[in-house]
Amino acid sequence: MAKKNQTLGEFIIENQASFKYTSGELSRLINSIRLAAKVVNHEVNKAGLVDIIGAAGETNIQGEDQQKLDVYANDKFIQTLTNRNIVCGIASEEEDDFIIVNSQDENHQNKYVVLIDPLDGSSNIDVNVSVGTIFSVYRRVTPVGTPVKLEDFLQKGSEQVAAGYVVYGTSTMLVYTTGDGVNGFTLNPAIGTFYLSHPNIQFPEDGKIYSVNEGNYIHFPIGVKKYIKYCQEEEGDRPYTSRYIGSLVSDFHRNMIKGGIYMYPKSSKNSNGKLRLLYECNPMAFLAEQAKGKASDGFNRIMEVQPTELHQRIPFFCGSKNMVEKAEEFMREYSE
Ligand code: AHG
Ligand code: MN
Ligand code: MN
């Protein structure tokens, strides 16, 4: 049973037994993500000091090359998961191909693959706005003892065993699910410990917030345009209010707590939208459903889409159940 103020470490140990495949491997994996999140958090917090300690592409005072934060975050998550021999494969937004992780005995004994967006919302870094990390975990489908293959990563979202994100915001939080609800942990930076601050988070069934990049409005499908107008119309307890940070993690996090919908539809410029199915939409969809929300491509459940490519994009509508269903209604009615 989740107890407020419990540390993430305690929570992981306590909940290990309730997980159906209890070998401790998934617990070690979440622990590694916790560690990498703290390291990346430390670096993200220094981003505003760029003029003082050097920008990406420069050499710092110790003669080290400064890295862009998304490359830094990518390296840290990959290092943490490979050095500690936790997973058998990793796919990342920052890597063209998936990485085969060889266990120390070169036997490929680990069962899990991880997919990550190491730094989400990276264009917000320079202006001191929240960014995040997104992760998604699957059991491999190819036999243990052999190198992982593409099919281990191209699984439907419904096969995820864990997913979550870190939001580097006014506070740093780690929010994750292993299929038994969603829990949020807040970092106390003074002592570097995550505490359970948001047990069993749930999307309000209805919401007031719609989040979409309205700069793309003229390029949106007619169903999306009509839905946005519906949100703006004064009727009953409408109009809704608009909030868009431009970091999926932060927009999702706010909407999950306050109630709302996040949309990144297709447009006449991007036929599949912008967001990536495997390491952005699927993990967010798993979290949304575990928090009693919904995630759709406008017509179908995101987690039922069969992926065909590592970096494939998909239109994304995610958030409070009633809002997503309303958006789907408009999509169906005005489908071109
Ligand atoms: P990333 O920084 O990992 O490339 O992801 C950015 C994504 C997502 O976080 C955000 O919601 C969306 O791009 C914003 O896109 P627009 O600037 O087109 O609105
Ligand atoms: Mn992203
Ligand atoms: Mn990214």
Side-chain angles (χ1 to χ4, degrees):
M1 194 44 213
K3 288 189 280 295
K4 224 170 165 174
N5 303 329
Q6 205 172 24
T7 68
L8 175 55
E10 288 164 349
F11 181 89
I12 291 170
I13 294 167
E14 210 161 283
N15 286 273
Q16 183 171 314
S18 64
F19 188 67
K20 54 183 173 195
Y21 318 100
T22 41
S23 66
E25 213 172 310
L26 187 70
S27 298
R28 288 196 296 130
L29 204 165
I30 305 287
N31 262 321
S32 295
I33 288 174
R34 169 181 73 153
L35 178 64
K38 286 195 247 185
V39 175
V40 171
N41 176 62
H42 182 68
E43 205 63 20
V44 166
N45 277 185
K46 291 192 299 187
L49 294 169
V50 107
D51 289 341
I52 298 158
I53 57 179
E58 291 175 6
T59 306
N60 71 11
I61 202 147
Q62 285 93 23
E64 297 158 345
D65 287 335
Q66 299 284 299
Q67 285 177 314
K68 284 180 68 180
L69 270 173
D70 34 20
V71 178
Y72 179 87
N74 186 50
D75 289 352
K76 286 301 156 207
F77 276 93
I78 291 174
Q79 271 169 25
T80 313
L81 291 164
T82 48
N83 291 352
R84 293 153 61 98
N85 184 24
I86 304 283
V87 292
C88 52
I90 304 170
S92 163
E93 182 192 354
E94 302 298 329
E95 308 281 335
D96 291 344
D97 286 321
F98 63 86
I99 297 167
I100 300 173
V101 180
N102 228 347
S103 46
Q104 270 152 11
D105 50 9
E106 308 225 334
N107 246 344
H108 305 279
Q109 287 305 312
N110 293 325
K111 288 193 292 287
Y112 296 105
V113 295
V114 172
L115 298 95
I116 51 170
D117 177 353
L119 206 74
D120 174 66
S122 41
S123 64
N124 279 326
I125 274 281
D126 295 346
V127 288
N128 205 1
V129 172
S130 300
V131 292
T133 296
I134 309 173
F135 64 92
S136 166
V137 182
Y138 293 84
R139 281 171 77 86
R140 63 182 303 174
V141 288
T142 55
V144 169
T146 63
V148 280
K149 298 208 177 96
L150 185 58
E151 62 198 272
D152 293 311
F153 298 91
L154 299 186
Q155 299 189 52
K156 288 185 186 172
S158 53
E159 299 300 316
Q160 287 172 102
V161 291
Y165 58 81
V166 185
V167 54
Y168 311 99
T170 37
S171 326
T172 292
M173 283 188 72
L174 196 155
V175 176
Y176 80 101
T177 182
T178 51
D180 185 23
V182 177
N183 291 291
F185 300 82
T186 302
L187 181 68
N188 177 346
I191 50 174
T193 303
F194 280 104
Y195 290 94
L196 179 60
S197 52
H198 295 64
N200 194 23
I201 313 177
Q202 295 189 0
F203 268 97
E205 205 174 356
D206 239 312
K208 283 249 156 241
I209 299 169
Y210 70 97
S211 312
V212 63
N213 185 344
E214 282 184 84
N216 296 329
Y217 184 85
I218 57 164
H219 303 287
F220 285 153
I222 182 86
V224 175
K225 286 181 177 166
K226 293 270 187 192
Y227 177 68
I228 292 173
K229 286 295 160 214
Y230 162 88
C231 291
Q232 294 169 344
E233 266 163 26
E234 215 146 340
E235 203 175 285
D237 59 354
R238 281 183 269 141
Y240 294 164
T241 190
S242 160
R243 291 282 183 278
Y244 189 72
I245 297 169
S247 291
L248 169 63
V249 167
S250 317
D251 281 306
F252 177 97
H253 185 73
R254 179 204 53 239
N255 290 354
M256 181 163 65
I257 289 169
K258 295 197 164 176
I261 184 171
Y262 177 94
M263 299 182 278
Y264 211 109
K266 72 170 188 179
S267 71
S268 47
K269 290 190 298 189
N270 305 320
S271 58
N272 292 313
K274 176 182 183 188
L275 300 181
R276 317 296 181 113
L277 173 60
L278 292 185
Y279 41 80
E280 292 182 315
C281 302
N282 268 336
M284 290 316 204
F286 189 24
L287 286 160
E289 290 193 8
Q290 284 295 316
K292 299 207 158 46
K294 275 194 97 163
S296 153
D297 66 358
F299 302 95
N300 302 301
R301 184 176 172 226
I302 283 287
M303 292 209 288
E304 267 160 32
V305 175
Q306 175 60 57
T308 52
E309 284 170 47
L310 218 44
H311 298 287
Q312 96 188 59
R313 298 173 197 270
I314 192 160
F316 194 49
F317 299 75
C318 179
S320 291
K321 181 172 168 286
N322 292 345
M323 293 185 87
V324 175
E325 284 175 359
K326 195 69 181 172
E328 286 180 321
E329 229 175 275
F330 276 92
M331 293 302 286
R332 272 196 304 274
E333 191 174 343
Y334 296 98
S335 66
E336 292 136 1

